[in-house]
Each structure stands twice: as structure tokens, then as C-alpha cells.
Amino acid sequence: MSKIHKVNRRDFIKLFGLASSGIILGCNLSSDQKDFIPKLDGVFSPNLFVQINNDGKVILISSRSEMGQGIKTSLTSAIADELEADWNYIEVKQATGDSKYGNQNTDGSRSVRTRLEPMRKIGATAKMMLITAASKIWDVSEDECFAKNHFIYHSKTNRKLFYGDLVDEASKVALPSESSLKLKEVKDFNYIGKTLKSIDLKDFTHGTAKYGIDIRIPNMKFAAIQRCPVTFGKVKSFDSSFAEEIPGVEKVIKLDRIVPPTGQFFGALGGVAVVANNTWAAFQGKLDLNIDWDYGENHLFDTNDFKKTISQRISKKGKLIPGSRGNVSSSFKNAEKVIEATYHVPFLVHAPMEVPNATAWYQDNKIEVWAPLQDPQTARAELAYFFDIPIENITINVTFLGGGFGRKSKSDFVVEAVSISKEIKAPVQVVWSREDDIKHSFYHATSAQYLKASLDQDLNVSGWLQRVAMPSIVSSFKPMSDYASGLELNQGFTNNPYKLDNFRLENVKAESNLRIGWMRSVVHIHSGFGNNSFVDELAFAANIDPVKFHLNLIGNDRVVKGKSKYPYDSRRMKDVLLKTAEISKWGQSLAKNEGMGIAIHYSFYSYVATAVKVSVVNDNLKIKNIWTTIDCGLALNKDNIKNQLEGAAVFGMSLAMFGKITAVEGAVEQNNFFDYQMVRMKDAPNIHIEIMDKMNEKPTGVGEPGVPVIAPAICNAIFNVTGKRIRSLPLIDEGII
Amino acid sequence: MSKVLKINGELYTVETQDEMPLLWAIRDIVGLTGTKFGCGVAQCGACSILVDGNLIKSCSMPVSYGIGKEIFTIEGSSDNLEYLREAWNEVNVPQCGYCQSGQLIAATALLNKNTNPTDDDINNAMSDNICRCGTYVRIRKAIHKAVELRNQDVS
């Protein structure tokens, strides 16, 4: 439950400055269940604010990080809606990283899911106080007053008072109880469920949006770090004489690896840092270092060997996973047909357009940081832990993120910046080169899957066996975690959208020799690819249209109850599939070289189906059209949701066509966008997005659910036209591009 | 090592080595941070600028190249850039926004040369610029929209 507080005056002044008078509201929000990372328990105190100034300006705080998903506009629009505010008066400020704002971890497609209702309550509270204030001024009953477009009206006399003119009186009003709040009905929404353009468009189109890399503070230095090519290797010795001759280079320092304690934080890799008075000199200096490395235990890691290893392992029995049910052995024995296949997804990297970077100033037992961070509270706790500074002495300013995709959930680059600032006693900006970003990330894990299923005499799926080998994200927090965790398998493996009475899921060993992290859609990329590719194979074996086969496999209408607040509803899954079939004109006659493929997935509590139309001529692939339908419950900001799903389609295309990180002798081979390629304008298809009208349902995820369907839908379309089954990504390695 | 750069009509005296890429001179020395670093090897277009009207990846051209020339960055203004801005606004193009400086400059260069680009023209002209958020469909639409806005003003 949320509690609403009046905010401590000092917090208020710190955040807004002293200039304006106004009323201000804070709301104590309950914490999220963390999916992956154990964290220090924070103290949650007043955190999210509404300020109304006497000129009518309304300043709202965005407590989640803006990385392109549009949260800064979307969540604050929910406050504004309940507040009956005129959007033209709205200004949004970004919160610093602080537990008083509630959980700020911008991850897991959950900001709207977990924050929409609290935001609405904040807005409704402010509105009630303004109504009370106006009723006092007019000496009338509150029941006779209502709010509309930045005014409170008295319905009997048609008098009205502007919000700005109510701030003094409203400041004297006691906070209403949460139970007295009346939230608006769907039909009365002004902004929720509509389209609001990004509030930052002007800055985005004038180069004035400040990302982490744009931070400039007086006398700051710039630093680049040469890290060991092999994960967790150490500096034995180094010669910096050439680097130090470069004009602009001021200092070269050794950074020890900062090892995180088991179960939390990210630490930093260490290496040799070149400090300079501009970024380029630091980059040049880094390349001129001569470092003798102790490569450590990961130096034999080879991704080709590893692929073979896990592919062999999945041919044998693994650990049985809870959720398995029925008896697949007897299903296979009594089958009309048995089909089996193995699938492979390589390591991937996020490669946000803005490289990891952080600006830090360590001085007088205090730390101030400016950085593009998805999880500023973990960064703050991490700095308090590693540098032994009281957490209240650490300020984390969250800038715009030039893309995040999970990379900027990890605060290793902040730890690096603080380490250097402490050493050089000056503010410093650490900037990763693109090569650093590609070679030293927290990688999206590789996977191998073995699937085996039986079709009975009616060509229904009677048994389903799935073995998964995948290095675990947990390995980044707890060494020797050699199996995927339950939380990872719960991303599309244990909870696939199908009705399977005989289902066996097995977990197969896969150790980690790179830092493993999470990337947009996380394990759903593996489950979405394996499940949908295999279902397409089964449909082909059964000689049944894939859409019809999927519908059969989703099964009867049912709501899978459990502990979740978001029970899986098979009807909603079927409806998005049928909608996608409709908008894509599934079943249409296709040109000779054209094919279509379909995929469905349930992730972040949202239902998604995608159809793809391709042409393949002499192994030259052209993805012509992508149609995606999402049921994300209440759709907060419609055009933003469409933009997210268009982007998800392109993100999915990039990983399907090009995405692959390989390592030889422990070192990542790829360097930059020439060998870790992205989809470009010339590859971009027509993309059609449909949002199911579910305004009375709870909002569910948007940022990630559009990705997992894309690769399998493309591969299924390729099969449809060529008869060639793609079971290992990326396509460029399969000769179809 | 003191030299003068003319950026968006303003003169800036900078002290750098001749071989420092224009990108870093503009960002770290002049202090105009709208032009972005993305790859450093002319692969992503985030650092796109115009030099005497030519589209340049500023990460890969030395500062000496810009001396005595007209440098145009996202902080500048031109008729085509303003139509593009309006169109970007109408189409609600950006997600994270980071690559959009480069996208807008590349689109400006396109419209400066081609008053009515087709989809193929756009695909050819804009494929040096990566958008990791994947706003390509909107960029394409917005470039057509900018042409439409300009034609409305002209007629």
C-alpha cells in the first residue's frame, strides 16, 4: 500500500531550489520484488513529488530513468491526469538516486505496471487538496466543486479558481486519507490511454538533452581504461611512457579489480586508467599502454568449444525442474510422430548508442556522480560499500540514458569513475570506447536447447521435453552458479503459453567465463526462439497451418491461477494471435520468393503475437513486413507503446540477423559496429503495431515483450519460403542475409 | 596549436593537436555536446556534422580539416533542419534521442541535395546512421513529412 506524506521542507528545498512557493506532495511507495539482484535494504521515506507553483506551473518528478522507453512522459502524465492538470503547465524533473523515491530500478518492463496506481493517487491527492482549498475560499461544500484543466470550479455559481492561485490555501490543507481518494474512471481520462508525445522532444531535436557523456563540470578530467582482454585478468606490470608523452595526457594509474561481495553489486574490472584533459587524448593514451597481463583462469575460454560442450550436454538428461508434469516417456512411446530439434543462441551485447560512462567527484568524504543509470540506488549503495562513505553523503544525479537495454543497470563504470576521482583528487569522466563496450560487457548469455515432442493420432502435442543449458546471470553475483536459476527458467520455459499435460523441463550445466548480465527481454529471447521455432516444426510435421496449430496448442480458454497478480489468460493469448493473423492477412497467397512466419510469446505479463513477411532470393533475405499485436492491459501512452514495439522489432531483427559475440582464448573477438552489426535504415521493414483495447485490465510490460517473437517469426518465414530450418542464430552465420 | 573553428556561424579559438578528430574538438574543447560519440570509426553516424555542406563523420576527420570551413552541427539552424525538427516532432520520432542529432544532420544533408527523396533515396542516405532503439520507420516517415511541410510553406 502507498502512504502519502507531506514532504520534509529541507528535501523540498534541495530538490526545487528556493525560488518558488508552492505545495508539494510526496508519496511513500512500496518496494518492488526484485527479480534478480539481492540488494541492501533501503529505508523508504517520502519520495515522489508534485509541486505546484503560484504561476500555475506544475513540476513533477520522474523517479524512473529515461532511456528511450518514454517513462518520463508516461508516468508523470498519470499524475497530471488525476490532477486534472493542463499538460502545457507541466515540467518534469529527474529524481536523484535515493531510496526516498521508492524503488527506482528501471528494469523488467515494470515501471508502469508497478507505478501507475501510486502515480495516479499522487495526482488525485493533489487535486483533492486543491478542491478543499477552493471550497474554503468560497465557503462552499467540497461536493459542489470539481477540477478541470488547471481550474477548480464551483458548479452552482460557475466560479472558477486557477491552480496557481490556490497554492497558498492548499498548503494549509491537511492531507486526505488514501481511502478517501477517488480515482477517475477510464472514460474520464485525459492523458491515460491516449497519446502524449515525449516531453523532451525539443531537447532531443536540438542536441540539448544532457546524457551522461555530456556532463561538463569545472576542472573535470577525462579518463579511459584499458581492461584485460580476458575476463577478470589482472595487470602484472605496465609501461606508460608512450602514453604519457601524448599531449593532454596527465596521469596513468593502475586500477585494481573491485570484487563484489557474494550476492550483490557489480564491482569493477580494474585495468590501467589514462587521465587526460580531453576524451581523445585519454583514448589515444590507452592504446599506447604496454601492459603485461595475468590472464587468469578464463584464458582458455572459447565460445566455439563451449557451444559444442553445451550441445553435447543437452543430449543427456539434466536436472528435473519443478513445473514438469505428466509422463513424457509414455507420450513418446505411444506417439504417432516424434520430432526433435536443438536450438542455439549466441552471446549477445547491448551496445547502447551512448557508451557506458560516468562522471564522479570524490572529495571531503563525499561523492557526487552524474551518470546514465537504470538503477541509481544500487550504484549509490555500491559506492557506500566500496568506498566506505555514508550513503547520505553520496549523490547520484541521473542523466538521460542514450539507450540502456540492461547494460546501464550495472554500475561498474560508476565505480571506476569514483576510484579514479579518489586517486587524482579531481572530478573525472570515465568514457568507454565502443570497443570497450563490446569487449567488456555483462553479456546476454548463450544457450543450447534440446526439444522433443510427440504428436498423437489426432496430431495434438501429447508430450514435450525441453532441456536448457544457459550460463546464469546469478554467476555474476555468486561464483560457481553453473545452472540457470529458477527466476531465469520462469521466463518462458516453465511458463510457456501452451496447454501441455505431459511436460518435462530439464536444466543442464553451463558455467560462465564471461560476465553474464541481462539484456532487453533477457531469457525470453531463448525461450521465445526455442518454443516458437519448435512449434513451427511441429505444425509442419502435422501438416497443419501454424496459426491453427498454435491456437490448438494454447488450448481451451482458461485462467492459470497462482500467486501472481497477473494470472495467465489463454483467451488473451489467442486473441492477439488472431488479431495478428487478421492484420497480416495470414493465409494470403504469396509471391514466389515470399514467405510468412508467426510467433507468440507471453512475457512481462503481456501477450504478443508477431507475423513476418520475408522474401529470399539466392539466400538474400529481405524482411518486408512485421505485424505485432500486444495485449499489455491498460495502454498508458499509445503512440509511445507503438514506438516501443517498432523498436523491439528492429532490436529483434538485429539479434536475429547479426547478433553474435564470440571469444577465443578468453578474449571477445568483436570490436565495433563493423563486426557487431546492427540493422540499418536500408534493412528496416514496414512495421505495423496493434494494441488490444484492454483499458480495464491492469497495465503490464511494454519495453521488452516485443523482442522475443521477432527472431523465431523471421526464421519461420524463411522456412516457409526456402524449406531451410534455422536452428542457430544469427542468420549471417547460416548464409542467409 | 591555436586555431579557429567556425561553427554555426560563431568563431571559436581552440588549442588542440591537428590530428584530434573534429568530434572531440567540438565536444571537449568548444563544449558543444549535441554532436555525439557512438563508435569512433565512422560506423554509426552519431557524430554527423556538415562541413561546407558536406556530410562528415566528425569522429574520423581531424580538426585541421575544419579550419577555414563552415561547420554546421545540431546546435545550428537551417530551413531544412527546422522542417525536419517539426516533422520529428509531429511523428514523435525519438526514443532515447541519442542518435537523433546525427540522424537530423544526415537528413538535412539529404534534403539539401534532394528536394523530394523516395524511400530508396532515404534508405541510401540514412543507412550510415544507427539507431539502436530502432526508430527507422519513424525517421523515414518524418523525412517525407518534412518535405510535405516545406512544400506547404512554398505553395
Side-chain angles (χ1 to χ4, degrees):
Chain A
M1 287 302 290
S2 305
K3 282 185 185 167
I4 292 170
H5 298 254
K6 274 201 170 173
V7 169
N8 182 310
R9 182 78 192 163
R10 275 170 308 176
D11 287 342
F12 156 54
I13 289 167
K14 209 168 148 190
L15 194 62
F16 293 103
L18 288 161
S20 49
S21 65
I23 59 168
I24 195 162
L25 292 164
C27 183
N28 188 358
L29 308 173
S30 60
S31 65
D32 279 331
Q33 292 292 319
K34 293 280 289 180
D35 283 340
F36 280 121
I37 315 160
K39 290 188 6 173
L40 291 180
D41 285 333
V43 178
F44 295 97
S45 54
N47 52 68
L48 201 133
F49 305 106
V50 176
Q51 181 190 357
I52 305 177
N53 292 352
N54 49 19
D55 60 359
K57 184 194 260 188
V58 176
I59 301 174
L60 303 176
I61 297 301
S62 172
S63 64
R64 294 294 172 114
S65 302
E66 179 55 61
M67 52 189 177
Q69 85 285 39
I71 205 65
K72 196 176 154 192
T73 304
S74 299
L75 269 187
T76 51
S77 77
I79 306 177
D81 199 328
E82 292 286 353
L83 178 58
E84 296 294 346
D86 179 341
W87 190 249
N88 293 315
Y89 284 95
I90 302 290
E91 183 185 322
V92 180
K93 289 192 178 181
Q94 187 67 39
T96 59
D98 196 318
S99 56
K100 70 188 175 191
Y101 296 106
N103 187 326
Q104 293 175 277
N105 186 7
T106 311
D107 194 290
S109 294
R110 66 186 144 192
S111 292
V112 173
R113 173 156 55 90
T114 58
R115 289 290 173 266
L116 180 65
E117 189 177 310
M119 293 306 108
R120 291 179 61 188
K121 284 180 177 170
I122 287 171
T125 303
K127 178 179 72 181
M128 263 189 95
M129 294 172 80
L130 291 165
I131 286 174
T132 304
S135 74
K136 282 190 177 155
I137 290 170
W138 290 324
D139 196 19
V140 298
S141 161
E142 287 176 20
D143 297 340
E144 294 166 11
C145 302
F146 67 94
K148 194 181 171 190
N149 207 31
H150 242 69
F151 287 89
I152 303 296
Y153 289 83
H154 181 227
S155 49
K156 285 188 177 167
T157 59
N158 222 12
R159 281 178 292 181
K160 63 176 182 178
L161 277 166
F162 181 58
Y163 280 8
D165 296 330
L166 283 165
V167 298
D168 290 340
E169 191 63 36
S171 303
K172 298 174 206 156
V173 172
L175 277 170
S177 68
E178 194 176 335
S179 59
S180 67
L181 297 176
K182 285 193 200 88
L183 297 185
K184 291 169 72 171
E185 291 180 37
V186 169
K187 66 177 171 52
D188 297 323
F189 285 148
N190 296 323
Y191 306 126
I192 297 172
K194 308 287 196 298
T195 282
L196 269 179
K197 287 173 183 170
S198 166
I199 199 162
D200 299 302
L201 273 175
K202 193 174 174 207
D203 284 331
F204 288 152
T205 56
H206 288 74
T208 46
K210 292 287 177 215
Y211 301 86
I213 203 168
D214 301 327
I215 294 299
R216 297 289 180 265
I217 50 179
N219 304 314
M220 70 183 261
K221 306 297 178 191
F222 297 84
I225 300 168
Q226 187 66 47
R227 301 168 190 82
C228 184
V230 180
T231 308
F232 304 143
K234 290 176 191 156
V235 178
K236 266 200 269 188
S237 61
F238 68 96
D239 173 8
S240 59
S241 51
F242 289 118
E244 286 177 55
E245 281 172 21
I246 292 172
V249 170
E250 297 184 354
K251 201 167 188 178
V252 178
I253 52 177
K254 184 182 160 199
L255 297 176
D256 289 328
R257 180 183 169 208
I258 295 181
V259 182
T262 299
Q264 58 188 351
F265 303 149
F266 300 95
L269 288 171
V272 178
V274 177
V275 182
N277 63 15
N278 66 78
T279 315
W280 187 66
F283 280 178
Q284 294 301 106
K286 171 171 111 86
L287 297 175
D288 267 346
L289 293 168
N290 209 335
I291 306 172
D292 191 14
W293 299 105
D294 170 1
Y295 291 121
E297 60 189 21
N298 292 316
H299 79 289
L300 293 175
F301 183 59
D302 183 298
T303 42
N304 279 329
D305 293 346
F306 189 69
K307 182 178 177 181
K308 282 179 206 143
T309 302
I310 57 176
S311 298
Q312 280 162 8
R313 284 181 190 159
I314 56 168
S315 67
K316 299 192 187 88
K317 223 172 189 180
K319 285 189 198 173
L320 184 66
I321 296 301
S324 299
R325 56 195 174 265
N327 186 338
V328 292
S329 305
S330 63
S331 310
F332 294 159
K333 215 176 288 169
N334 302 320
E336 179 74 17
K337 272 188 183 179
V338 174
I339 317 292
E340 52 186 340
T342 61
Y343 300 96
H344 184 262
V345 176
F347 287 102
L348 299 168
V349 72
H350 324 72
M353 291 312 295
E354 182 200 26
V355 288
N357 70 87
T359 306
W361 196 351
Y362 179 110
Q363 58 167 354
D364 305 330
N365 204 37
K366 283 183 193 150
I367 297 172
E368 183 154 13
V369 167
W370 298 259
L373 284 167
Q374 289 178 241
D375 188 2
Q377 288 168 352
T378 293
R380 192 176 188 225
E382 182 159 19
L383 296 179
Y385 179 87
F386 288 132
F387 296 93
D388 197 21
I389 299 268
I391 199 157
E392 61 272 18
N393 288 2
I394 299 171
T395 305
I396 308 282
N397 302 286
V398 180
T399 63
F400 277 113
L401 283 68
F405 314 115
R407 177 62 185 92
K408 291 168 183 167
S409 297
K410 294 88 176 171
S411 28
D412 53 335
F413 46 92
V414 176
V415 175
E416 291 173 345
V418 175
S419 299
I420 298 170
S421 177
K422 184 181 178 186
E423 181 78 20
I424 66 170
K425 299 181 172 58
V428 67
Q429 180 172 93
V430 165
V431 182
W432 288 42
S433 67
R434 179 58 62 192
E435 290 78 10
D436 295 336
D437 175 52
I438 301 283
K439 288 177 181 296
H440 303 289
S441 192
F442 286 83
Y443 297 94
H444 175 86
T446 186
S447 71
Q449 294 179 57
Y450 169 75
L451 278 137
K452 181 177 179 182
S454 52
L455 298 174
D456 63 18
Q457 285 164 346
D458 300 325
L459 299 174
N460 291 315
V461 178
S462 54
W464 177 292
L465 166 67
Q466 191 162 17
R467 292 191 190 121
V468 187
M470 176 174 62
S472 175
I473 289 165
V474 179
S475 66
S476 288
F477 303 98
K478 199 174 154 207
M480 311 299 285
S481 302
D482 290 345
Y483 287 84
S485 66
L487 287 168
E488 288 168 304
L489 294 172
N490 281 340
Q491 295 188 28
F493 287 113
T494 56
N495 55 345
N496 67 46
Y498 317 130
K499 176 107 168 59
L500 294 166
D501 295 330
N502 298 298
F503 173 73
R504 185 180 172 93
L505 183 63
E506 294 175 5
N507 197 357
V508 176
K509 185 178 176 179
E511 52 277 50
S512 304
N513 300 85
L514 296 170
R515 291 195 296 180
I516 306 299
W518 51 98
M519 188 186 80
R520 187 180 191 176
S521 306
V522 203
V523 175
H524 290 288
I525 290 172
H526 304 290
S527 56
F529 180 61
N531 293 348
N532 282 288
S533 299
F534 193 55
V535 170
D536 203 68
E537 301 211 31
L538 296 176
F540 184 76
N543 195 24
I544 295 173
D545 172 78
V547 168
K548 195 174 166 219
F549 195 85
H550 266 106
L551 287 168
N552 287 341
L553 194 53
I554 295 166
N556 61 319
D557 290 358
R558 66 196 183 280
V559 176
V560 180
K561 294 201 181 79
K563 287 179 200 160
S564 174
K565 280 196 285 182
Y566 306 90
Y568 167 73
D569 183 341
S570 64
R571 183 71 248 167
R572 293 171 74 177
M573 190 79 253
K574 284 188 276 189
D575 285 345
V576 295
L577 174 56
L578 289 167
K579 177 57 80 177
T580 296
E582 177 196 325
I583 61 174
S584 67
K585 298 191 172 65
W586 183 264
Q588 63 182 282
S589 58
L590 298 168
K592 187 174 162 245
N593 297 309
E594 285 182 349
M596 285 181 71
I598 197 137
I600 65 170
H601 202 66
Y602 175 65
S603 64
F604 307 94
Y605 306 113
S606 288
Y607 305 80
V608 171
T610 286
V612 172
K613 186 196 269 187
V614 303
S615 74
V616 182
V617 179
N618 299 329
D619 287 343
N620 287 316
L621 171 70
K622 175 77 186 164
I623 297 169
K624 294 186 156 180
N625 290 82
I626 296 181
W627 296 267
T628 294
T629 307
I630 188 168
D631 175 352
C632 57
L634 180 151
L636 174 51
N637 189 344
K638 282 193 170 143
D639 192 55
N640 183 59
I641 293 170
K642 285 188 175 174
N643 206 347
Q644 285 301 295
L645 287 153
E646 290 163 11
V650 173
F651 199 92
M653 280 176 65
S654 284
L655 76 87
M657 293 167 72
F658 307 114
K660 186 170 84 162
I661 288 291
T662 55
V664 171
E665 293 182 351
V668 168
E669 292 186 292
Q670 287 71 27
N671 297 279
N672 206 313
F673 291 126
F674 53 81
D675 53 6
Y676 193 80
Q677 295 184 64
M678 298 287 152
V679 160
R680 292 169 181 272
M681 180 66 87
K682 63 183 165 54
D683 311 309
N686 296 311
I687 304 174
H688 319 265
I689 307 300
E690 190 77 21
I691 304 168
M692 300 297 275
D693 184 3
K694 299 279 176 170
M695 287 304 289
N696 290 307
E697 299 283 351
K698 292 190 184 95
T700 54
V702 167
E704 296 170 274
V707 174
V709 280
I710 301 300
I714 292 169
C715 293
N716 293 342
I718 291 170
F719 176 78
N720 183 235
V721 58
T722 64
K724 181 174 177 178
R725 211 36 106 173
I726 308 292
R727 299 195 179 93
S728 182
L729 295 176
L731 292 167
I732 193 168
D733 282 3
E734 300 293 305
I736 294 181
I737 203 71
Chain B
M1 288 203 292
S2 174
K3 43 190 82 76
V4 175
L5 290 177
K6 191 175 179 192
I7 307 175
N8 306 322
E10 301 273 334
L11 297 176
Y12 299 89
T13 305
V14 297
E15 300 254 348
T16 70
Q17 291 169 276
D18 287 351
E19 62 268 32
M20 176 185 278
L22 265 171
L23 169 69
W24 298 113
I26 291 168
R27 285 183 55 83
D28 291 0
I29 315 295
V30 175
L32 294 174
T33 56
T35 306
K36 299 304 188 206
F37 167 67
C39 69
V41 290
Q43 289 287 309
C44 77
C47 66
S48 298
I49 60 170
L50 303 183
V51 178
D52 278 351
N54 298 312
L55 181 60
I56 297 298
K57 309 290 183 287
S58 66
C59 73
S60 299
M61 292 300 265
V63 68
S64 54
Y65 176 81
I67 297 167
K69 298 191 173 116
E70 299 276 348
I71 297 172
F72 184 80
T73 72
I74 191 65
E75 287 88 353
S77 180
S78 74
D79 285 354
N80 279 333
L81 180 54
E82 294 306 326
Y83 285 119
L84 286 161
R85 281 179 170 140
E86 196 181 336
W88 249 239
N89 201 65
E90 283 204 19
V91 179
N92 199 21
V93 171
Q95 289 188 31
C96 86
Y98 190 82
C99 75
Q100 300 296 345
S101 298
Q103 303 280 2
L104 281 159
I105 292 293
T108 301
L110 170 63
L111 293 194
N112 287 350
K113 279 187 229 150
N114 184 338
T115 52
N116 193 11
T118 62
D119 276 357
D120 279 348
D121 295 334
I122 293 171
N123 290 348
N124 288 332
M126 300 299 292
S127 283
D128 282 357
N129 292 67
I130 295 174
C131 174
R132 183 60 161 148
C133 299
T135 62
Y136 298 120
V137 176
R138 286 176 186 243
I139 290 171
R140 204 185 280 149
K141 190 172 165 191
I143 292 173
H144 288 306
K145 184 87 204 170
V147 172
E148 195 184 309
L149 292 168
R150 189 187 55 199
N151 290 346
Q152 280 167 10
D153 275 5
V154 171
S155 60

